[in-house]
Amino acid sequence: MTVQADTMDSSLGSVSVTRMAGGFDVPWALAFLPDGGFLVTERDGTLFHVQGGKKNRISGTPAVAAEGQGGLLDVMVPRDFQTSREVFLTFAKRQGRGAGTALAAGRLSADNSALVDLRILFEAAPGATGGRHFGSRVMEARDGTLFISLGERGDRPSAQNLRLHQGSVVRINRDGTLPDGNPFAGRTDAQPEIWSYGHRNPQGMALDLQGNLWVAEHGAKGGDEVNRVRKGANYGWPVISNGRHYSGAKIGEGASKPGMEQPEWYWDPSMAPSGMMIYSGRMWPEWRGHIFVGSLKFDYISRLSGAPLKEAEQLRGTATGRIRDVREAPDGSIWFASESEGAVFRISR
């Protein structure tokens, strides 16, 4: 049973905010099922199925390294779910004395109670110690391949090292194999799955209405970025940044360098971006193509639009809190997961 929580002011007038499910411990991601139910991950390793106000734990999830920023992270339901029943999960996987970001897939049982035939499709190599900067989102591209965002695990130089997966966006087939067309495939000095690199900690990822890939990623002290991801491109971390180290020291060589990409937008001060969605316009045609990014630091959802891209609005209310994920539902409503509220909310007319 849903409970009306509040209303929220927006540039299009007052919108309704409805609490759809609660009682979560650090909800990290959500994904919609074709039958009207939805899935929610908790960072401690739990996956929930929610339908009709009832929340049930799903068994068969992978063992996760739930430490620091690591744990069970993103969940993705592919377009062919009705026939495949597949669910994809990113998570921090134990690797010796360290951990790395990994992708698993399993089939959701007919009663939505268990993941069966779970298999690991990808894991970042090599693993790293510490609990920082795992990323991670997984996105199904229009051609059926999968993009996965990986943080640099707090080891800054690794984001420029093509021999490592850290600090990159990787592209694989749904069965974990290497697809045609990856930019560094065939090179002996690079991991063949890498699609782009020079990323710090991309915790938001979305496709725009033309099928282009975008990420939102954490900077240090300032310099949180929204980037359009291009094949083979270098996004500069830690050589260039629009922020500074937490100590106040300069990062790398400045804000730009030939051969390194500039962000489409950056925040200074940092707002700590996480979940990201690019809107279809189904419920609010005025927002078609606009980018929505949740803030972990300042308790709002940022709406960005225009060319050049700019922050047009900050959506905030009593329910927003620490926003971990933002998604568009099939009906065009906007849903978000709030860590501080331990709940999932729906924004609608």
Side-chain angles (χ1 to χ4, degrees), residues 239-242 250-256:
V239 180
I240 61 172
S241 173
N242 288 287
K250 179 183 174 182
I251 293 173
E253 300 177 21
S256 65

Side-chain angles (χ1 to χ4, degrees), residues 49 51 83 104 127 154-155 166 211 218 243 289 323:
H49 173 262
Q51 191 160 26
T83 54
D155 177 22
Q166 284 91 332
H218 292 259
I323 305 298

Side-chain angles (χ1 to χ4, degrees), residues 192-225:
E193 296 87 359
I194 293 176
W195 185 257
S196 64
Y197 65 108
H199 300 283
R200 184 173 184 263
N201 189 25
Q203 289 192 338
M205 188 158 61
L207 294 179
D208 66 21
L209 304 187
Q210 292 74 45
N212 302 306
L213 185 68
W214 295 69
V215 297
E217 55 187 290
H218 292 259
K221 188 178 181 181
D224 293 346
E225 295 181 353

Side-chain angles (χ1 to χ4, degrees), residues 310-329:
K310 294 183 179 180
E311 184 174 77
E313 182 175 15
Q314 296 178 357
L315 296 168
R316 65 173 79 237
T318 57
T320 47
R322 183 174 160 87
I323 305 298
R324 178 56 74 178
D325 200 9
V326 183
R327 302 284 174 118
E328 180 182 354

Side-chain angles (χ1 to χ4, degrees), residues 83-125:
T83 54
S84 70
R85 302 288 299 180
E86 279 196 309
V87 172
F88 293 84
L89 300 166
T90 63
F91 65 103
K93 181 180 182 293
R94 183 71 59 197
Q95 296 173 321
R97 289 182 290 180
T101 306
L103 176 73
R107 288 186 297 105
L108 186 62
S109 62
D111 64 358
N112 301 311
S113 68
L115 281 182
V116 297
D117 299 330
L118 188 79
R119 57 206 183 278
I120 306 298
L121 300 177
F122 169 84
E123 56 184 285

Side-chain angles (χ1 to χ4, degrees), residues 256-308:
S256 65
K257 185 176 182 177
M260 295 183 176
E261 301 293 317
Q262 285 292 297
E264 301 294 327
W265 171 259
Y266 71 90
W267 287 273
D268 189 10
S270 294
M271 52 82 89
S274 191
M276 179 184 193
M277 174 271 289
I278 300 178
Y279 190 60
S280 73
R282 284 189 188 94
M283 189 170 287
W284 293 279
E286 301 91 338
W287 289 344
R288 177 176 170 82
H290 293 195
I291 298 173
F292 292 77
V293 181
S295 169
L296 291 166
K297 186 175 181 181
F298 293 134
D299 302 345
Y300 66 84
I301 299 171
S302 174
R303 179 175 66 84
L304 303 108
S305 65

